[in-house]
Amino acid sequence: MPQTVRLRLVYALCLLTAIGCGQKNDQNSDRYSLAENWPRLQSKEILGQPSGLGIDSKGNLVIFHRAGADPDAAAQSKIPENTIAKLDADTGKILESWGKDLFGWPHGLTIDYNDNVWVTDVGLHQIFKFSPEGELLMKLGEERKPGDDQRHFNRPTDVAIAEDGSFYVSDGYGNSRIIKFSSSGKFLFQWGEKGNGKGQFDLPHAVDLDGEGNVVVADRENGRIQKFDAKGNFLREWSNEGGGKVYSIKTDPVNRSIWAVDYLVGDDDQILGSDILRFGTELEFEAKFGRSKAYEGPVCRYHDIEMDNHQNIFVADLLENRVQKFSPVQKK
């Protein structure tokens, strides 16, 4: 089932305001409520710091997480616990887990049109493609050897897969570039360099494709979203005037929307938290909810965003090592 069919959201949402992390809503806005006691985990189940999220064709949520790993230890060895978990999106119950002794420091996760699982590892400097059952299908990059050529990455952050199987990699913390590969993993071309001009990046942290094959990039440290055509030609950008760093983006071609999450720290290093933002296809800002309004719950640091075909929004919170689920409140 095509990803565009799975990512159904109501395009006619009115102005979203605050309820993220327990925030209140303004009157006359469509509302999202935070799901309580979700996910439901057994005491023996480990769900560590979540870094990447994906939805498969059955509507299950797949999470790439860091288990109980210490970043210093992960730099020398691979995480001995399971790092990929598949959850029932309704109940939050873990359906299956795998990924022991495979990864150094998990980052991005993407589910393709065939339910294959793609992940990026910023500790190993590698890209992995697995079958839905966890069989390794492709591996790019050389383990723990960063580089900036066609065969190496430097802390790659995310992958976006086109319908023909070709894919784009945001690379990332060490290299400020986007790379396109064929479906077999052959290098095709790249663009980008360190900077804040059009087509430049300061930590391209997430990448996704819209319904027309355009490439949308979360340019994190520049606090903006950039949009390019399939060849890497610059089209337009949106800059976060509120100062938040843009951590992740998710396109919704069915409903012609683009969603994003940001993160803001004050001048005195006070953590102010995250917003969830919605845009039209031309990156015209439409709405946001989260940090910008009154909080009733803990401050969050959203690292990734995903949504299912029931309009539920899932966000990975690095501060509390959890995944939050927001569901639309039906109008009476």
Side-chain angles (χ1 to χ4, degrees):
M1 179 183 297
Q3 187 178 16
T4 55
V5 175
R6 301 200 303 264
L7 300 178
R8 296 185 182 277
L9 289 170
V10 175
Y11 181 63
L13 289 173
C14 300
L15 182 65
L16 291 172
T17 53
I19 118 170
C21 286
Q23 295 89 338
K24 295 180 179 178
N25 273 71
D26 290 342
Q27 191 175 6
N28 298 325
S29 67
D30 286 277
R31 296 181 297 153
Y32 272 80
S33 62
L34 177 63
E36 300 293 342
N37 300 317
W38 192 101
R40 301 174 186 172
L41 305 180
Q42 302 297 320
S43 59
K44 64 180 180 179
E45 294 174 328
I46 298 175
L47 188 62
Q49 188 178 61
S51 58
L53 305 175
I55 296 286
D56 68 16
S57 62
K58 297 180 181 179
N60 298 312
L61 178 70
V62 184
I63 303 172
F64 198 25
H65 66 95
R66 295 161 181 170
D70 177 271
D72 294 329
Q76 305 298 325
S77 60
K78 295 179 181 178
I79 300 172
E81 296 89 10
N82 286 325
T83 52
I84 294 179
K86 181 186 293 186
L87 277 66
D88 183 300
D90 292 328
T91 67
K93 178 182 179 181
I94 293 182
L95 303 176
E96 60 181 83
S97 294
W98 53 280
K100 293 181 180 179
D101 300 311
L102 290 177
F103 306 112
W105 198 242
H107 201 271
L109 180 144
T110 303
I111 307 295
D112 70 16
Y113 297 98
N114 297 310
D115 279 348
N116 297 311
V117 180
W118 298 69
V119 296
T120 64
D121 190 317
V122 296
L124 301 182
H125 308 288
Q126 290 180 299
I127 310 292
F128 299 87
K129 176 186 178 181
F130 296 93
S131 73
E133 296 75 32
E135 175 188 359
L136 180 63
L137 302 177
M138 183 187 298
K139 178 170 59 176
L140 298 176
E142 191 171 357
E143 184 173 318
R144 298 194 190 279
K145 292 186 178 180
D148 59 4
D149 56 25
Q150 297 181 9
R151 300 178 56 191
H152 294 83
F153 307 99
N154 194 335
R155 305 182 71 193
T157 53
D158 199 15
V159 179
I161 302 97
E163 291 191 29
D164 64 0
S166 62
F167 57 97
Y168 297 81
V169 174
S170 51
D171 180 41
Y173 282 87
N175 297 323
S176 295
R177 62 178 179 172
I178 304 295
I179 315 169
K180 186 175 185 181
F181 294 90
S182 71
S183 59
S184 63
K186 178 183 177 181
F187 175 91
L188 297 178
F189 61 87
Q190 68 178 45
W191 75 91
E193 60 183 1
K194 183 84 168 185
N196 58 14
K198 295 178 180 179
Q200 296 179 324
F201 306 103
D202 190 354
L203 209 177
H205 199 253
V207 60
D208 205 359
L209 305 178
D210 69 9
E212 299 178 353
N214 297 313
V215 183
V216 186
V217 181
D219 187 6
R220 195 181 95 171
E221 295 304 294
N222 281 325
R224 65 181 178 178
I225 301 170
Q226 295 195 71
K227 187 174 182 178
F228 306 87
D229 68 17
K231 296 295 185 181
N233 298 304
F234 176 85
L235 297 176
R236 60 190 56 86
E237 69 178 7
W238 173 86
S239 294
N240 196 347
E241 296 180 357
K245 308 299 185 183
V246 181
Y247 270 56
S248 189
I249 44 91
K250 191 66 182 179
T251 63
D252 174 25
V254 172
N255 297 289
R256 300 181 58 78
S257 295
I258 297 173
W259 294 76
V261 289
D262 75 354
Y263 179 63
L264 181 63
V265 177
D267 294 336
D268 56 356
D269 293 329
Q270 179 185 4
I271 296 175
L272 300 178
S274 290
D275 269 333
I276 297 173
L277 309 99
R278 193 189 75 225
F279 305 86
T281 57
E282 303 303 308
L283 289 182
E284 64 273 27
F285 173 76
E286 294 180 346
K288 63 182 175 181
F289 66 100
R291 172 193 72 244
S292 297
K293 301 294 181 178
Y295 279 88
E296 294 178 355
V299 173
C300 302
R301 183 183 181 185
Y302 294 146
H303 192 263
D304 198 9
I305 180 170
E306 184 60 270
M307 57 273 298
D308 66 14
N309 61 353
H310 298 295
Q311 308 166 43
N312 298 303
I313 295 174
F314 301 88
V315 282
D317 178 20
L318 296 183
L319 292 184
E320 298 294 330
N321 291 4
R322 65 188 171 190
V323 176
Q324 290 182 313
K325 175 183 178 181
F326 292 94
S327 298
V329 176
Q330 299 299 321
K331 292 183 177 179
K332 296 181 179 180

